[in-house]
Amino acid sequence: MPFRYLGVPIKAGRLTKKECNSITEKMVARIRSLGARKLSYAGRITLINSVLNTLYNYWATMFILPKGVIKRVEAICRNFLWDGSSDFHRVPTVSWEKVTCPKNEGGLGIKKAELWNIATVGKLVDWVYCKEDRLWIKWISQIYIRNQDWHDYIPPNDANWSWKNVCKVKEALKHGYDNAVWTANIKGYTIRSGYDCLRTSYPAQSWPSIVWNSWNIPKHSIITWLIMNDGMNVKQKLYKWGCCEDDLCCLCYRETETTEHLFLACEYSCRVSTEVERRIGMQFPTLSRLINGNKKKLQWRFLTAVLNAVYYSVWMQRNNARVNVMILRPEHVAKQVKELVVKRLKFKLGRNSDLDAMDWMRKIGM
């Protein structure tokens, strides 16, 4: 003791940070092998949810991991999201608390490692509540619980460390049970419902359906999400941090470059919007118009993709102006926006488009 079984350490005492280092080592190795610096924000989010969290999740279903390991896991995910590496090189533009909110509450839907760990171990707690026909449940009932009520059970001081942790998780989830029945979900306890029960909930936002619409190009959606959360490094912020000589807009050089000015009031942005209107034959969409629109209509999906594409293109031209001191004419930007959105729409519709959709696409020159 300790020895490894199925890749995890088996021991009677407390798990140490050193014994869990293989989790973070695998995560760092995976980041280095993926060429992550070349990925967009959207690609990094996908890899965090599908690859990095999977490496951690395997251990989290069995043990309550040391807090040092939890902090390192979250630090790796945070650094990877904002900088494409496992080390800290860049200050996050949006707080991790906001990033870990669900998408309908304005976040990115990345899970908090500590709460997810508690929720996964909560499955063991639920098995004890339901008296599952498992060998370790029978053993626990005979050695520890005996004839006591599991809901009010308190472990003895000389109990095993792992068992004490299971009891701590039971106390954290205790308010979700009523007469040994998990009330937060009709179908019984699930890890997701346990996680939702543990986390702090925020009011649902009205704009996420516009940002996370599957008809949008993912890298466009991330830029819009950053705009909504005031996460863009506009010159107003950079000037306060001492990173530039002035705070004038890179596109018009007339007013202070704030998020609102750059995307809504800047002369260049307005010219791009006007040119897009001319090319698609429709009024340029606004957030308020899209929020109140019919989300099932093809036109709404098209306009949503247009809005996200315009925001993304304006931000790219702003960066080009700041780094290379050159920008494309609004006509060229509008042409690129329409081409990108049309390609996306054709990809999503495929060959199974109905006649109404085909007629509408012809009208806007698709």
Side-chain angles (χ1 to χ4, degrees):
M1 298 285 281
F3 62 91
R4 286 185 174 269
Y5 178 69
L6 297 179
V8 296
I10 304 299
K11 60 183 296 186
R14 181 186 300 270
L15 276 180
T16 64
K17 183 179 177 181
K18 183 178 179 180
E19 290 165 344
C20 300
N21 276 344
S22 61
I23 302 174
T24 54
E25 288 172 359
K26 287 179 181 178
M27 293 175 74
V28 172
R30 192 60 62 90
I31 289 173
R32 290 174 179 171
S33 66
L34 291 171
R37 283 187 177 274
K38 298 179 182 179
L39 294 173
S40 65
Y41 283 131
R44 293 174 194 172
I45 293 169
T46 301
L47 285 176
I48 288 172
N49 289 326
S50 62
V51 178
L52 299 186
N53 281 348
T54 303
L55 298 173
Y56 151 78
N57 192 53
Y58 176 64
W59 288 60
T61 56
M62 305 177 194
F63 315 106
I64 292 295
L65 299 174
K67 289 187 177 180
V69 176
I70 296 289
K71 289 181 179 179
R72 178 59 179 156
V73 166
E74 289 196 338
I76 290 172
C77 293
R78 182 174 61 249
N79 297 338
F80 176 61
L81 172 63
W82 297 117
D83 194 50
S85 68
S86 60
D87 300 318
F88 179 81
H89 295 120
R90 185 176 174 185
V91 177
T93 56
V94 180
S95 69
W96 190 245
E97 180 69 24
K98 189 67 175 178
V99 168
T100 53
C101 289
K103 288 184 176 180
N104 67 326
E105 295 178 9
L108 291 178
I110 296 174
K111 302 294 188 296
K112 285 186 178 180
E114 183 177 5
L115 297 185
W116 188 256
N117 189 189
I118 295 173
T120 52
V121 174
K123 194 68 179 176
L124 307 180
V125 173
D126 187 66
W127 287 348
V128 179
Y129 266 114
C130 297
K131 298 179 180 180
E132 290 279 333
D133 187 19
R134 299 172 185 268
L135 181 60
W136 76 272
I137 297 291
K138 295 177 180 179
W139 186 85
I140 287 296
S141 299
Q142 291 293 325
I143 301 300
Y144 285 122
I145 301 177
R146 297 181 182 176
N147 296 323
Q148 300 180 60
D149 182 11
W150 171 231
H151 193 71
D152 300 319
Y153 172 79
I154 298 175
N157 294 330
D158 60 347
N160 179 275
W161 172 79
S162 298
W163 176 242
K164 285 183 178 179
N165 275 333
V166 172
C167 293
K168 288 179 181 178
V169 172
K170 186 259 296 183
E171 292 299 320
L173 296 171
K174 191 175 181 179
H175 61 282
Y177 283 93
D178 184 19
N179 293 326
V181 177
W182 180 250
T183 57
N185 191 355
I186 299 175
K187 296 181 180 180
Y189 184 85
T190 60
I191 296 175
R192 182 174 291 276
S193 65
Y195 178 81
D196 290 337
C197 189
L198 292 167
R199 71 176 183 86
T200 302
S201 298
Y202 296 93
Q205 303 293 321
S206 59
W207 52 262
S209 60
I210 298 170
V211 177
W212 303 118
N213 182 356
S214 63
W215 294 74
N216 299 339
I217 297 174
K219 63 181 180 180
H220 296 179
S221 296
I222 295 298
I223 295 299
T224 309
W225 177 81
L226 287 169
I227 293 170
M228 296 301 172
N229 287 284
D230 194 24
M232 307 299 287
N233 285 333
V234 291
K235 287 183 71 176
Q236 181 190 41
K237 293 182 181 179
L238 298 177
Y239 181 69
K240 289 181 179 179
W241 299 337
C243 299
C244 57
E245 297 178 353
D246 60 72
D247 61 356
L248 293 178
C249 175
C250 292
L251 297 176
C252 67
Y253 287 98
R254 293 181 179 178
E255 298 184 31
T256 300
E257 187 184 274
T258 62
T259 301
E260 184 177 357
H261 167 77
L262 182 62
F263 296 99
L264 299 177
C266 178
E267 181 184 353
Y268 181 86
S269 302
C270 293
R271 288 177 61 191
V272 170
S273 302
T274 302
E275 186 62 26
V276 168
E277 281 185 355
R278 187 183 69 80
R279 289 181 177 271
I280 65 176
M282 287 183 284
Q283 184 181 358
F284 183 77
T286 60
L287 277 174
S288 58
R289 179 185 171 193
L290 291 174
I291 287 172
N292 299 320
N294 187 345
K295 298 177 177 56
K296 294 182 180 180
K297 286 189 175 182
L298 181 61
Q299 182 178 340
W300 182 88
R301 296 167 179 171
F302 175 76
L303 291 176
T304 300
V306 168
L307 179 70
N308 283 267
V310 168
Y311 285 165
Y312 175 83
S313 299
V314 169
W315 181 246
M316 291 299 103
Q317 294 308 311
R318 178 266 184 193
N319 291 340
N320 201 24
R322 185 165 183 263
V323 176
N324 301 321
V325 198
M326 60 179 293
I327 56 175
L328 294 176
R329 294 175 63 184
E331 295 80 6
H332 293 296
V333 176
K335 181 181 178 181
Q336 290 178 355
V337 166
K338 183 176 179 181
E339 289 176 352
L340 285 171
V341 174
V342 166
K343 286 180 181 179
R344 181 67 175 178
L345 205 63
K346 286 182 177 178
F347 169 75
K348 293 293 293 185
L349 289 172
R351 297 181 179 179
N352 299 321
S353 305
D354 56 34
L355 293 176
D356 292 338
M358 294 296 291
D359 290 340
W360 181 80
M361 290 166 64
R362 290 192 196 98
K363 288 180 182 179
I364 63 172
M366 291 178 61

